[in-house]
Amino acid sequence: MIDYQAILDTITNSLKHSAVKGEVPTYIPELAKVKDTNFGMYLNLVDGEKYGSGDWDKPFSIQSISKVLTLAKAVPLMGNKIFERVDVEPSGNPFNHMSLLELEKGIPRNPLINSGAIVIADMLVTHLDDPKEEFLQYVRDLTNDQSISYNEKVAESEARTGFNNYAAANLLKSFGNLINEVEDVLDFYFHQCSIEMTCEQLSNAFYMFANRGKCMRNTAHLTLNQVKRINAIMLTCGFYDEAGEFAFEVGLPGKSGVGGGIAALLPNEFTITCWAPGLNTQGNSYLGMQALELFTTQTNRSIF
Ligand code: GLN
């Protein structure tokens, strides 16, 4: 029997006081206010056991981790049509790089870089009657927690400084790969990124990716084939130009966000989340990457 609680506690105690913590991002002013001393982890075994350590119950901004949840919402609505407008190749570039695979067609390389997620946001704005409300309700249902919300201050903060995302959306619009108005799509996108969750809530939200498409409420949201595909996209594209490094060190499908969160999973076995706000130069949580490497090495549980 693996003593998961002891492993999480040991990792938390060894990393929480690291002298080097990475840098909290400043390009979204609201996120710059978060203390880099926060550190939390949470583990959900598919069989129902749960373990938390450190600041696992403090809410943080999930940022780009939301891109997996918008993709999961869009897949059953749109089917394979999604992949006519967004490719599934790793970009090898930073998250905010324009990387449109075929520049003349305006197709983003994958749904987890900003330009790809903006196209997915556009699809949801088209398909949902009240996109922000319905997406939030979806996340609440997946997580089985009605308290989850957007942080309006973070959404406004990013809307004021998100010039790069305006540029990406305008470029997509110029290629005809954005149906709705730039302002409407980005309002949705900035809100999805502003969702706040604790490590526990995030681990619960990702449970369906480990549990064959069934969420915490045991409702089926995705088919096995859809789960396989989304997990494959996380593995190859979830960490931008560090996706190779994450596979090499950690060996799990996962997704990072500039709020310092990481959500990862082993299909049919567990979901694990980590939050440490300091980022490395690739925009991934500096200590979070180390924590998950320690976890999969010490438990010997990864997809490899
Ligand atoms: N909201 C952020 C942005 O669009 C998300 C980036 C991230 O978390 N990597 O720049």
Side-chain angles (χ1 to χ4, degrees):
M1 268 288 281
I2 303 175
D3 188 345
Y4 288 108
Q5 188 64 53
I7 290 174
L8 292 192
D9 288 342
T10 307
I11 296 171
T12 299
N13 291 334
S14 70
L15 294 181
K16 197 175 166 64
H17 304 291
S18 294
V20 185
K21 292 186 164 60
E23 300 294 324
V24 175
T26 50
Y27 83 101
I28 302 176
E30 266 315 295
L31 294 186
K33 298 178 184 168
V34 179
K35 285 205 169 57
D36 67 0
T37 46
N38 287 295
F39 186 98
M41 294 184 82
Y42 201 87
L43 172 70
N44 270 10
L45 300 189
V46 162
D47 72 10
E49 286 171 51
K50 295 162 178 289
Y51 306 89
S53 72
D55 301 310
W56 61 269
D57 59 349
K58 280 197 200 172
F60 61 91
S61 194
I62 69 167
Q63 290 296 318
S64 280
I65 302 171
S66 66
K67 294 169 181 172
V68 184
L69 302 175
T70 51
L71 178 63
K73 176 77 182 156
V75 161
L77 288 173
M78 300 269 304
N80 285 333
K81 283 216 161 309
I82 290 182
F83 303 108
E84 292 168 14
R85 293 179 57 192
V86 190
D87 214 324
V88 291
E89 293 300 332
S91 73
N93 282 318
F95 63 87
N96 53 6
H97 196 275
M98 295 298 158
S99 54
L100 304 177
L101 182 59
E102 299 170 75
L103 209 52
E104 70 278 10
K105 290 201 197 127
I107 308 291
R109 271 209 165 237
N110 67 65
L112 301 184
I113 52 172
N114 288 10
S115 55
I118 290 169
V119 171
I120 302 293
D122 183 52
M123 293 173 184
L124 293 181
V125 169
T126 299
H127 277 83
L128 304 178
D129 294 332
D130 186 346
K132 282 192 280 189
E133 195 51 45
E134 284 177 51
F135 178 65
L136 185 59
Q137 194 54 52
Y138 172 72
V139 175
R140 288 173 170 170
D141 290 345
L142 292 182
T143 314
N144 200 14
D145 189 330
Q146 299 301 314
S147 71
I148 293 166
S149 275
Y150 297 120
N151 180 325
E152 291 294 339
K153 273 190 178 167
V154 172
E156 275 165 34
S157 181
E158 189 168 4
R160 273 199 306 276
T161 57
F163 305 113
N164 194 291
N165 288 320
Y166 281 98
N170 277 298
L171 196 56
L172 291 163
K173 188 88 181 159
S174 78
F175 283 119
N177 198 4
L178 206 79
I179 312 295
N180 298 284
E181 294 304 321
V182 165
E183 285 296 335
D184 295 340
V185 178
L186 287 182
D187 180 52
F188 178 85
Y189 174 76
F190 294 143
H191 274 84
Q192 72 172 73
C193 290
S194 82
I195 288 180
E196 289 192 331
M197 289 193 198
T198 65
C199 287
E200 179 187 18
Q201 289 168 329
L202 187 58
S203 188
N204 288 344
F206 269 60
Y207 186 79
M208 70 171 171
F209 301 115
N211 190 40
R212 304 162 75 82
K214 285 189 181 168
C215 74
M216 291 297 289
R217 289 149 51 117
N218 212 29
T219 307
H221 292 272
L222 298 167
T223 65
L224 284 182
N225 185 258
Q226 289 166 339
V227 171
K228 179 185 81 175
R229 290 180 155 202
I230 294 171
N231 286 342
I233 294 172
M234 279 195 252
L235 183 73
T236 52
C237 311
F239 294 79
Y240 316 112
D241 46 342
E242 219 176 15
E245 180 75 7
F246 192 78
F248 183 69
E249 298 288 349
V250 179
L252 297 174
K255 183 73 200 83
S256 63
V258 291
I262 297 179
L265 63 114
L266 182 61
N268 303 320
E269 301 292 339
F270 64 77
T271 54
I272 186 162
T273 51
C274 188
W275 175 48
L279 306 180
N280 63 19
T281 46
Q282 281 87 0
N284 298 318
S285 173
Y286 179 78
L287 294 178
M289 298 271 291
Q290 294 180 29
L292 293 179
E293 187 280 323
L294 289 170
F295 179 81
T296 55
T297 302
Q298 290 180 12
T299 57
N300 202 17
R301 304 201 78 186
S302 82
I303 61 167
F304 302 111

